[in-house]
Amino acid sequence: MHIRLINPNTTASMTEKIGAAGLKVAAAGTVVSATNPDAGPVSIESHFDEAISAVGVLEEIRRGEQEGVDAYVIACFGDPGLLAARELTAAPVIGIAEAAFHLATLISTRFSVVTTLGRTCIIAEHLLQSYGFAHHCRKVRAAEIPVLDLEDDGACALGRIVDECRRARDEDGVGSIVLGCGGMADLTDEIREAVGLPIVEGVTAAVKLAESLVSLRLGTSKHGDLAFPRSKPFTGRFAYLGN
Ligand code: 5HY
């Protein structure tokens, strides 16, 4: 099976890191490829960034459909464009936030989330509500690091994330912690070592869920709201999206 990891921001080094993390946990025989859109924000840290990045995600889904991809992972913690992406394919499409929330509730009754900037906490809180996990999550915390500090070894992003995870461990009464950024995909083991709690990371969680769905031959339902979009022309610079 071929799983395509889509990094919705346009930072190639983060896409590479996400691909490596996914490949590390994939079963033998699973092909893992990672892409990012040509156009869009270099990092996603606001509602605006998210809205623009969603178009890039949809273009990558359309590209994957021509390549016969079996499942997709949207590797940004806001799960940008998730439902629209599911309309474009019969293959499973999994957002890393949704995947991490599901797994965290299988190993703990309560979890906290540690994400990057405080201003993005509301995005995770909205997802917790819309996915029905709000009552499982004690707190969405921020390490107050810009997303691209995760690409800069000198920025001591890891130290700030560990400090915030330790605060969650000591103050929130939770059994596990969810990492709130695709760019943290390579830090799980170090954080687990330093904090001593189960750490749930979304990219790897989504890859294992995608493998399960494909092996169970469970794809996105084309019955109801996730049916393929109705054919229609699009105008202007989006004309290429119409049919
Ligand atoms: C992410 N931004 O996973 C989100 C994290 C965040 O570019 N990749 C990004 O802070 O919302």
Side-chain angles (χ1 to χ4, degrees):
M1 76 173 76
H2 181 179
I3 300 178
R4 169 67 46 86
L5 309 180
I6 301 170
N7 172 20
N9 72 43
T10 58
T11 299
S13 60
M14 191 172 283
T15 305
E16 234 174 84
K17 180 164 63 176
I18 287 168
L23 189 58
K24 205 169 144 194
V25 299
T30 297
V31 173
V32 173
S33 60
T35 64
N36 56 257
D38 309 329
V42 292
S43 65
I44 299 160
E45 299 169 326
S46 69
H47 303 292
F48 176 70
D49 298 344
E50 241 190 49
I52 302 298
S53 75
V55 176
V57 167
L58 301 176
E59 290 170 343
E60 290 304 310
I61 298 281
R62 284 164 64 101
R63 208 191 301 262
E65 289 302 278
Q66 283 151 20
E67 297 169 27
V69 164
D70 299 301
Y72 300 89
V73 169
I74 298 177
C76 167
F77 205 73
D79 297 352
L82 181 62
L83 292 180
R86 285 178 175 156
E87 285 183 359
L88 295 182
T89 177
V93 183
I94 301 180
I96 63 171
E98 188 176 26
F101 298 157
H102 275 292
L103 265 60
T105 56
L106 295 176
I107 61 162
S108 59
T109 48
R110 294 284 181 274
F111 64 87
S112 282
V113 174
V114 173
T115 189
T116 55
L117 292 175
R119 67 173 297 163
T120 68
C121 289
I122 188 70
I123 296 174
E125 287 157 11
H126 284 170
L127 291 182
L128 287 161
Q129 278 147 15
S130 67
Y131 295 153
F133 288 109
H135 62 291
H136 285 281
C137 182
R138 272 279 159 75
K139 195 165 182 169
V140 178
R141 292 170 168 270
E144 283 309 339
I145 52 168
V147 168
L148 291 186
D149 272 14
L150 292 161
E151 298 307 293
D152 170 2
D153 294 340
C156 35
L158 175 60
R160 295 184 70 114
I161 296 166
V162 165
D163 290 349
E164 200 57 40
C165 286
R166 285 180 173 147
R167 277 188 279 276
R169 176 197 64 196
D170 301 339
E171 299 166 15
D172 298 352
V174 293
S176 68
I177 295 170
V178 167
L179 297 183
C181 181
M184 296 177 186
D186 62 333
L187 301 176
T188 314
D189 296 343
E190 286 172 276
I191 296 172
R192 186 187 301 118
E193 282 298 306
V195 177
L197 230 62
I199 303 295
V200 183
E201 189 286 313
V203 171
T204 47
V207 166
K208 298 318 285 185
L209 286 175
E211 284 180 330
S212 307
L213 289 172
V214 173
S215 58
L216 291 167
R217 302 176 68 188
L218 289 173
T220 298
S221 173
K222 294 293 111 183
H223 183 78
D225 69 304
L226 297 177
F228 292 106
R230 296 177 66 238
S231 297
K232 64 185 71 175
F234 280 46
T235 60
R237 70 177 181 282
F238 289 126
Y240 70 100
L241 290 172
N243 50 29

